Amino acid sequence: MSFTAKWRIAFIYVVLLSIAACASVNINLPSVTDTPTGERLPGKIIWRDLLTNDPAASQKFYGELFGWEFESVGTASNLESDSSYTLIRHNGQLIGGMIDTLALNGRRDISQWVVLMSVEDVDASAEAVTANGGTIITPPTDLQSRGRLAVIRDAEGALLGLLETRDGDPRDSEPDVDGFLWDELWTSDVGSADAFYTKVAGLTKGTVDVDGMQDTAPTYSLLKAGDTPRAGIMPNPLEGLDPVWVSYIRVEDPAAITSRVAELGGRVIVEAGPRPVGGEVAFVAGPSGAGIALQTWPLEQNNQDLNP
Amino acid sequence: MKTLSKLVQISAILATCLLMGGCDDVRVYGSVGYSSYGGYGGYGGYGSSVRIGGRIY
């Protein structure tokens, strides 16, 4: 066989291997819950993915502070080395995922928590995103058992996912200690954000009238599905921070957590302190720089003072 | 014959590039360009003076 013929065969072999490799990148992430309801709850934040440039340090940080457990599914999902994915569990229950951003072929640091909001029809919601000033990062994409996901930025630039689950969303329940409690958009234009999420996710606007909050957050807004508050929107409290969705973890003692943040590679951004409406909050960054808030729950206040 | 062979090779290269580009599409976060936090940016030192929100209801 001539050298040219051998080269051609080798080349064809490489092409076929490339095709086979591409075909094997078949994302099949598990459902967002072990006990899907078969029902979608549009507007609810049903999942959170941590994009991190240091998965090992992030596992240690969240594992030691909150007792979270981590389960790699990269190989099982055929994601291979270019897109490894790790499930996060708390008390045995699925609560989120973690992605090694160094495997996403990006040279920029994109570390952050990304919330996934439930939608009934992700294709229709994606159309509403572009019609209302948002940006599509990833068009609606099938993730098999998980459902169909689009990654977007809202009109002010906050990143989030819109997920149409295949098997239904997690049911509403009282959050566990060290589990996710609440989600909040910190943005540059609360009114615009209200309008955006009303149109994209079918939520309605609800204002807050709570003793103690009038001076500190006069424009705090609720996103509601029917009578159920699903998320909050408030003016960005940190100068220079781009609009961002922030998730809150229910903790019993924020100060006890913040005292350990530095030794685990994180930073305390807002020290633990009391809330005007009751309880305590803090805001910290993990080893990759992704921010997460801490809050005690329930409020130590008579609910009659709260008038949504 | 030689020209045809070269055309086949170029087509194969193009096909490979296109296919690998298609692989990129399935990485749902692969096109996220930046973090709101700017990586290890200089946020911090706010004490507890900054009012953040949190769940109310």
Side-chain angles (χ1 to χ4, degrees):
Chain A
M1 188 181 292
S2 70
F3 176 79
T4 307
K6 282 181 182 171
W7 188 89
R8 279 184 195 146
I9 290 170
F11 187 84
I12 290 167
Y13 186 65
V14 168
V15 170
L16 290 174
L17 271 180
S18 300
I19 294 169
C22 189
S24 73
V25 180
N26 178 21
I27 298 183
N28 183 16
L29 298 179
S31 170
V32 294
T33 173
D34 293 319
T35 54
T37 57
E39 177 190 7
R40 297 195 190 97
L41 303 170
K44 180 178 179 178
I45 303 298
I46 52 174
W47 190 254
R48 296 141 188 103
D49 275 324
L50 172 60
L51 311 185
T52 174
N53 60 5
D54 194 340
S58 295
Q59 283 196 27
K60 184 175 172 63
F61 182 85
Y62 290 100
E64 294 214 8
L65 288 181
F66 307 112
W68 293 359
E69 300 145 357
F70 300 87
E71 173 191 346
S72 176
V73 294
T75 303
S77 301
N78 290 328
L79 294 177
E80 301 184 352
S81 60
D82 62 351
S83 200
S84 63
Y85 192 80
T86 300
L87 296 173
I88 305 173
R89 291 182 183 271
H90 177 52
N91 292 337
Q93 301 296 312
L94 280 173
I95 61 167
M98 187 174 74
I99 294 166
D100 179 0
T101 61
L102 298 179
L104 290 176
N105 73 13
R107 283 177 282 280
R108 295 177 186 170
D109 183 4
I110 60 170
S111 297
Q112 58 200 303
W113 279 97
V114 183
V115 301
L116 270 56
M117 181 178 283
S118 173
V119 293
E120 195 64 61
D121 180 339
V122 71
D123 294 270
S125 290
E127 287 181 17
V129 167
T130 50
N132 290 281
T135 308
I136 303 291
I137 304 293
T138 305
T141 302
D142 281 320
L143 302 179
Q144 298 191 34
S145 300
R146 178 152 300 179
R148 194 163 162 79
L149 172 71
V151 181
I152 69 157
R153 288 194 185 276
D154 70 17
E156 271 63 53
L159 181 73
L160 74 152
L162 303 175
L163 180 61
E164 176 188 331
T165 54
R166 192 188 71 175
D167 303 321
D169 298 344
R171 60 174 51 89
D172 290 328
S173 61
E174 188 66 11
D176 289 339
V177 173
D178 295 329
F180 286 108
L181 170 70
W182 184 242
D183 299 275
E184 198 169 74
L185 174 62
W186 295 358
T187 189
S188 52
D189 188 334
V190 173
S192 169
D194 276 328
F196 181 86
Y197 289 98
T198 297
K199 288 165 182 161
V200 167
L203 292 161
T204 56
K205 179 189 175 191
T207 53
V208 178
D209 181 12
V210 179
D211 288 345
M213 280 193 73
Q214 289 85 347
D215 295 335
T216 55
T219 55
Y220 197 96
S221 180
L222 286 176
L223 290 173
K224 298 169 67 177
D227 292 331
T228 306
R230 289 300 186 194
I233 305 178
M234 67 176 287
N236 196 332
L238 303 182
E239 189 178 344
L241 182 67
D242 287 328
V244 63
W245 274 93
V246 173
S247 294
Y248 285 70
I249 298 172
R250 179 185 176 187
V251 299
E252 292 186 322
D253 186 350
I257 300 288
T258 57
S259 69
R260 298 195 58 209
V261 163
E263 72 185 64
L264 292 167
R267 285 181 298 115
V268 178
I269 298 177
V270 177
E271 294 281 359
R275 301 176 73 204
V277 294
E280 292 188 356
V281 288
F283 186 58
V284 303
S288 69
I292 194 92
L294 316 172
Q295 183 189 341
T296 56
W297 184 260
L299 299 178
E300 297 162 2
Q301 177 170 324
N302 188 333
N303 281 341
Q304 289 177 348
D305 294 338
L306 308 179
N307 182 27
Chain B
M1 186 66 187
K2 212 169 185 179
T3 307
L4 183 64
S5 172
K6 278 206 182 302
L7 277 174
V8 168
Q9 287 173 16
I10 290 168
S11 300
I13 290 169
L14 284 174
T16 304
C17 292
L18 282 173
L19 285 166
M20 295 315 284
C23 288
D24 283 344
D25 289 342
V26 301
R27 300 172 192 163
V28 293
Y29 293 117
S31 299
V32 174
Y34 60 91
S35 166
S36 294
Y37 297 93
Y40 292 94
Y43 303 103
Y46 290 100
S48 59
S49 60
V50 171
R51 299 286 190 195
I52 63 174
R55 183 168 173 176
I56 302 167
Y57 302 103

